[in-house]
Amino acid sequence: MPNIVVVGAGVSGLTSAYLLSKDGSNTITVVAKHMPGDYDIEYASPWAGANVLPMATKASSRWERQTWPELKRLAEEVPEAGIHKMKSRVYRREKDLEKLRKGEYAFDGLFQENPWYKTLFDDFRELPKDELPAGIASGAEFTSVCINTMLYMPWLVGQCRANGVVFKRGVLKHISEAAAWGHAGGGSKKVDFVINTTGLMASRLGGVMDPDVLPVRGQVVVVRNEAPYMVSKSGTDDADDEVFYVMMRAAGGGTILGGTYQKGQWESQPDPNIALRIMKRAVEMVPELADGKGVQGLDVIRHGVGLRPYRNGGVRLEKERVDGTWVVHNYGHAGWGYQGSYGCAERVVELVAEASNQPKL
Ligand code: FAD
């Protein structure tokens, strides 16, 4: 009867706990400083859009490839999960394509020409020139999903609780403290596995202190206006670290206008100048959003800032022994934590199984 403690209740921790809880022989406790319902700068998951726009390169696409079928199934068959399908457009600017061809493009695999993910989506199509807006060199369209994180995270908590997972609030200074949080045998049983899903805070947690983890600041504006489709663009003229995307959450969750991609910035407060530029870019690219009335036609719900848990070298998904207990790490998902969540959590399940089969030290 493996006794497991998951540290963290963001999308990585909740999905890991959920998949582990499908094996009824596991006893699982989730301990976290922040839980679904909280908004905090140390907690990335509530701030995400969140949609599926593949960011990996072909070589690193495993996590996103494995996640897509499950998010699609949830959108089609499980309305209470708060996910819906929506058309998505990806626009590439010539100047970004030139940088991309030279290997100088700072962002991700999303804007590649002839991308690996064209076979992932059922209806991927390159857009003909007459369907492209001015200033856009090429683009593609496909049906993706958008997750209402405010509904989806509680849904994950519910799935976990239905499988017997116990949730507790707690703040750990050192990862080895997780061994004291198991609930098996009324807390008397030794913890066999700790799953570390602490996101950005893996940079500050004792026993982990990962120097490669840093924030990528994302400022957003959430509006009541409805978007006809989701859209993202390979760059903006405003600043190198300002980006453009629009996505509409399922079930009245509002439309997210983004944004920024500011590496190494911890500032938690929205910058009003950036907010104005985000709104201007949105109504210029998608005038229908505000019925052609421009920024004045936007109805703001809130301004927000989230920090993407970026990691130099990519996500950390591996196991190690810390003070005699197996720790399985699953952190550092930057801007793709939802769209890679099932693939990564499946790897967590595999790592726990591998460690279970190793002789005890
Ligand atoms: P977090 O959500 O940060 O959770 C960390 C958990 O660990 C929290 O519960 C925290 O309290 C807990 N914790 C940390 N330290 C301790 C400690 N010492 N003791 C106890 N508990 C601790 N992803 C997508 O897939 N699609 C998108 O469209 C998308 N858009 C985004 C837009 C923005 C603006 C931002 C900011 C992010 C976006 N992301 C998107 C990325 C996504 O939000 C993250 O990759 C994901 O939320 C990371 O989840 P996590 O569970 O690893 O970390």
Side-chain angles (χ1 to χ4, degrees):
M1 290 274 286
N3 188 14
I4 301 173
V5 172
V6 178
V7 186
V11 69
S12 308
L14 296 176
T15 316
S16 299
Y18 175 38
L19 296 197
L20 286 164
S21 74
K22 290 188 174 190
D23 178 347
S25 67
N26 290 328
T27 304
I28 301 164
T29 312
V30 174
V31 56
K33 183 173 176 185
H34 304 100
M35 291 282 178
D38 299 346
Y39 275 107
D40 194 281
I41 198 63
E42 293 179 9
Y43 190 27
S45 293
W47 300 105
N51 67 4
V52 173
L53 289 180
M55 292 176 183
T57 57
K58 190 174 182 187
S60 63
S61 61
R62 172 180 172 186
W63 318 122
E64 293 178 340
R65 271 181 204 280
Q66 284 179 227
T67 302
W68 170 245
E70 184 56 13
L71 291 181
K72 182 172 171 249
R73 188 189 72 80
L74 291 174
E76 287 170 348
E77 298 174 19
V78 187
E80 60 272 31
I83 304 178
H84 69 173
K85 287 166 88 176
M86 214 179 170
K87 278 268 192 271
S88 183
R89 287 185 155 218
V90 172
Y91 291 147
R92 314 176 190 107
R93 301 186 311 167
E94 188 54 40
K95 57 180 115 175
D96 300 319
L97 286 176
E98 278 165 25
K99 283 194 213 161
L100 212 150
R101 290 179 200 124
K102 285 193 230 156
E104 291 166 4
Y105 187 62
F107 295 106
D108 38 57
L110 175 64
F111 298 103
Q112 277 169 357
E113 295 167 290
N114 196 21
W116 64 267
Y117 61 79
K118 68 179 185 186
T119 51
L120 191 69
F121 299 102
D122 303 331
D123 58 352
F124 179 97
R125 70 178 180 111
E126 279 293 319
L127 292 168
K129 290 269 179 245
D130 64 351
E131 287 188 43
L132 295 172
I136 298 300
S138 70
E141 187 187 74
F142 47 89
T143 301
S144 179
V145 296
C146 191
I147 303 168
N148 182 339
T149 62
M150 292 298 107
L151 297 182
Y152 181 58
M153 289 210 292
W155 180 80
L156 281 173
V157 172
Q159 300 305 299
C160 288
R161 280 173 54 81
N163 288 347
V165 177
V166 168
F167 285 80
K168 294 181 180 179
R169 287 268 184 180
V171 184
L172 276 56
K173 286 199 166 58
H174 195 284
I175 191 67
S176 58
E177 291 171 22
W181 284 87
H183 75 275
S188 65
K189 279 197 167 172
K190 184 183 175 309
V191 167
D192 304 297
F193 298 98
V194 171
I195 316 297
N196 173 23
T197 61
T198 50
L200 182 57
M201 291 300 115
S203 60
R204 295 184 177 174
L205 177 62
V208 184
M209 294 276 188
D210 189 332
D212 286 320
V213 173
L214 63 146
V216 174
R217 183 176 182 276
Q219 182 169 330
V220 294
V221 183
V222 188
V223 296
R224 293 189 178 83
N225 308 64
E226 295 205 341
Y229 48 84
M230 302 195 283
V231 56
S232 57
K233 213 165 72 163
S234 58
T236 70
D237 288 328
D238 291 328
D240 283 347
D241 57 7
E242 292 192 25
V243 293
F244 171 80
Y245 59 86
V246 170
M247 64 180 90
M248 190 171 81
R249 285 175 167 174
T255 296
I256 314 286
L257 314 180
T260 62
Y261 197 87
Q262 300 169 296
K263 254 189 200 170
Q265 287 212 27
W266 287 85
E267 177 54 55
S268 63
Q269 296 309 303
D271 174 329
N273 292 317
I274 291 179
L276 190 56
R277 292 200 290 276
I278 289 174
M279 292 190 284
K280 272 189 176 164
R281 291 195 295 260
V283 294
E284 271 166 28
M285 189 51 76
V286 192
E288 311 95 296
L289 198 57
D291 287 334
K293 294 183 195 131
V295 171
Q296 296 298 324
L298 292 175
D299 186 358
V300 176
I301 300 171
R302 74 177 157 269
H303 295 272
V305 175
L307 301 180
R308 302 172 180 92
Y310 182 87
R311 183 168 184 269
N312 288 316
V315 66
R316 185 170 182 206
L317 253 173
E318 61 182 4
K319 61 183 189 309
E320 69 167 334
R321 280 264 188 192
V322 179
D323 296 338
T325 304
W326 279 113
V327 176
V328 174
H329 300 284
N330 179 17
Y331 66 82
H333 305 82
W336 54 272
Y338 283 84
Q339 64 196 36
S341 55
Y342 282 88
C344 291
E346 281 167 13
R347 182 67 190 137
V348 167
V349 174
E350 281 172 17
L351 287 166
V352 167
E354 281 172 23
S356 304
N357 294 330
Q358 286 185 3
K360 297 230 174 335
L361 293 180

